[in-house]
Amino acid sequence: MNFEKSEEQLMIADSIKEFAKQYILPFQREWDEKQIFPIKLLRQLGEMGFMGVLVPEEYGGSGFGYNEYITVVDELSKADPSIGLSVAAHNSLCTNHILEFGTEEQKHKWLPKLATGEWIGAWGLTETSTGSDAGNMNCTAKLDGDEWVINGTKNFITHGENGDVVVLMTRTGAKGDKRGATAIVVEKGVAGFTSGKKEDKLGMRASETTELIFDNVRVPKENALGEVGDGFVQALKILDGGRISIAAVSLGIAKGSLEASLKYSKEREQFGKPISAFQGISFKLAEMATEIDASELLTYKAAWEKESGLNCTKTCAMAKYMASEACVRISSEAVQIHGGYGYTKDFPVERYFRDSKLCTIGEGTTEIQKFVISRLMLKE
């Protein structure tokens, strides 16, 4: 494997850094404290090509691969993890689901609007009583002539309030049936489709998370993606890419935490010298840097496997598990290095610390990743 960053990756990183200085960094504290979802910012990112990174140019996208995609999410998450998370969810879940399983007609209908940021996408799987146990979900879709009639709720949905379209996982068969789910695209504005409670979260507060409610919602039969009953099979494949996304978000948080810690430890003096000169601090920095490199290598390996068409489920789970747990440890150490200042909102590590925890929960908890990894290992 070539470990050198491509010219495209370097250009993407530079453009996001410049963009962040003007449009993200001055506002991130207000967004965090007031839970403001900066939807206009996402549309700006769409104009830059970052809302359809993996979408081919024929559908209005940038036509890049996973290496460039990781760079986008990593750099945005370093600036503001909430923005990185929203861009990741839009790209890898909603948009990618349509890209991978939609017909040509469906792709031409929805992808150009999603890829350019004109529309914001959501993906609905989780329910109040069925998180990882998705086989027992209660949101149903029943055919009535040429229309699906959808009833039920979803929760913890990124962009649930301001999203323009959602790829919705519905139960079209018996509970527990692996062929009993179907993915259906539902556009905002359809009668009976509303958003409910907006979650008041510990972190990632500028990334919108809400409940979705479906009360006899009717959508055309042709809005189903792929074959009826293939929803769970599709979802598992989409979650592979989603786990690469969360690993990339984790990398951004970890790198931001390390950069802030390096800067602070060189400037902060105690006993006549910078605290970076003390072994207790310098060893922390060394451990943080090593964990970041290890997580990054595993994340790019997962991306290589996915782009090569290999079975990447185990590696994607490993990358997500490794990077997310590492970013929690690294952000915690960053707060410790900053001492009392790290516990205030005047330094970015406080927010990195709060934001990091979501990475060990979203797209499957750490425990689910261990289950996936061990199950596949035992089958080999």
Side-chain angles (χ1 to χ4, degrees):
M1 296 175 67
N2 182 2
F3 298 106
E4 188 176 358
K5 301 287 186 183
S6 68
E7 184 178 342
E8 287 81 5
Q9 285 176 277
L10 295 174
M11 289 175 60
I12 287 169
D14 287 341
S15 66
I16 290 176
K17 286 174 185 175
E18 289 303 312
F19 179 84
K21 287 179 185 177
Q22 184 174 356
Y23 297 107
I24 297 178
L25 299 182
F27 311 106
Q28 59 187 182
R29 182 166 177 174
E30 180 185 6
W31 294 342
D32 176 70
E33 291 179 351
K34 297 180 180 179
Q35 286 210 106
I36 295 171
F37 176 52
I39 191 168
K40 290 182 180 179
L41 182 85
L42 266 64
R43 302 206 193 282
Q44 286 177 282
L45 289 169
E47 293 172 4
M48 297 172 70
F50 297 145
M51 299 298 277
V53 183
L54 301 169
V55 177
E57 293 181 12
E58 63 181 296
Y59 305 119
S62 299
F64 286 131
Y66 267 90
N67 285 354
E68 291 79 15
Y69 174 64
I70 290 170
T71 301
V72 169
V73 177
D74 178 352
E75 288 294 335
L76 284 171
S77 299
K78 193 190 301 183
D80 188 327
S82 291
I83 305 305
L85 179 66
S86 275
V87 170
H90 172 93
N91 273 279
S92 70
L93 298 178
C94 178
T95 304
N96 201 43
H97 200 140
I98 296 171
L99 177 63
E100 288 205 24
F101 297 105
T103 63
E104 281 300 310
E105 183 179 355
Q106 289 171 331
K107 291 176 185 178
H108 281 287
K109 180 178 181 180
W110 290 304
L111 288 181
K113 293 180 180 179
L114 289 165
T116 57
E118 179 184 348
W119 277 15
I120 305 300
W123 196 72
L125 174 63
T126 304
E127 297 181 6
T128 304
S129 58
T130 57
S132 298
D133 184 18
N136 282 310
M137 64 185 179
N138 294 308
C139 185
T140 61
K142 297 180 180 180
L143 270 178
D144 181 18
D146 291 331
E147 293 181 319
W148 291 104
V149 181
I150 304 170
N151 283 284
T153 61
K154 297 288 180 178
N155 74 329
F156 297 139
I157 305 303
T158 304
H159 308 149
E161 183 177 340
N162 282 288
D164 298 283
V165 63
V166 57
V167 174
L168 183 70
M169 302 303 299
T170 66
R171 184 166 58 80
T172 51
K175 284 190 176 184
D177 182 2
K178 292 182 179 179
R179 295 286 177 179
T182 303
I184 300 174
V185 178
V186 184
E187 296 181 16
K188 187 176 182 179
V190 178
F193 174 24
T194 57
S195 60
K197 176 188 176 184
K198 180 176 179 178
E199 302 296 340
D200 189 5
K201 300 178 295 183
L202 168 72
M204 299 292 191
R205 292 170 60 82
S207 180
E208 176 183 277
T209 306
T210 68
E211 179 186 35
L212 294 181
I213 301 168
F214 301 88
D215 182 11
N216 287 319
V217 172
R218 288 181 172 269
V219 298
K221 180 180 178 180
E222 55 267 25
N223 279 25
L225 295 172
E227 298 295 324
V228 173
D230 279 353
F232 285 136
V233 176
Q234 294 176 11
L236 290 174
K237 291 180 180 178
I238 293 303
L239 285 171
D240 284 341
R243 286 163 183 165
I244 292 174
S245 296
I246 296 298
V249 172
S250 302
L251 285 175
I253 294 172
K255 289 177 181 179
S257 298
L258 177 58
E259 288 181 10
S261 298
L262 282 167
K263 182 177 184 295
Y264 181 81
S265 67
K266 290 177 182 178
E267 295 172 350
R268 173 69 165 168
E269 290 191 0
Q270 291 287 273
F271 307 103
K273 55 185 175 181
I275 62 173
S276 59
F278 294 100
Q279 190 178 86
I281 301 298
S282 64
F283 276 21
K284 287 183 186 294
L285 296 171
E287 291 164 1
M288 293 159 76
T290 302
E291 285 200 80
I292 289 171
D293 272 16
S295 299
E296 190 163 31
L297 287 168
L298 194 50
T299 302
Y300 276 101
K301 181 188 177 187
W304 174 78
E305 287 185 2
K306 184 161 181 62
E307 285 213 316
S308 300
L310 303 174
N311 188 336
C312 62
T313 299
K314 184 175 75 172
T315 308
C316 290
M318 285 180 167
K320 195 270 186 185
Y321 162 44
M322 174 71 182
S324 64
E325 289 291 338
C327 91
V328 170
R329 289 191 295 271
I330 289 166
S331 62
S332 177
E333 289 286 50
V335 172
Q336 193 72 15
I337 288 169
H338 282 70
Y341 291 108
Y343 205 64
T344 72
K345 292 183 180 291
D346 294 329
F347 287 79
V349 293
E350 175 269 344
R351 183 170 42 80
Y352 286 135
F353 179 57
R354 287 187 291 106
D355 288 346
S356 70
K357 192 56 194 168
L358 182 279
C359 296
T360 67
I361 299 170
E363 306 289 350
T365 63
T366 290
E367 291 72 25
I368 287 294
Q369 306 313 314
K370 291 179 181 179
F371 171 76
V372 171
I373 295 163
S374 60
R375 182 186 61 183
L376 292 173
M377 286 174 60
L378 292 169
K379 283 183 178 180
E380 291 175 352

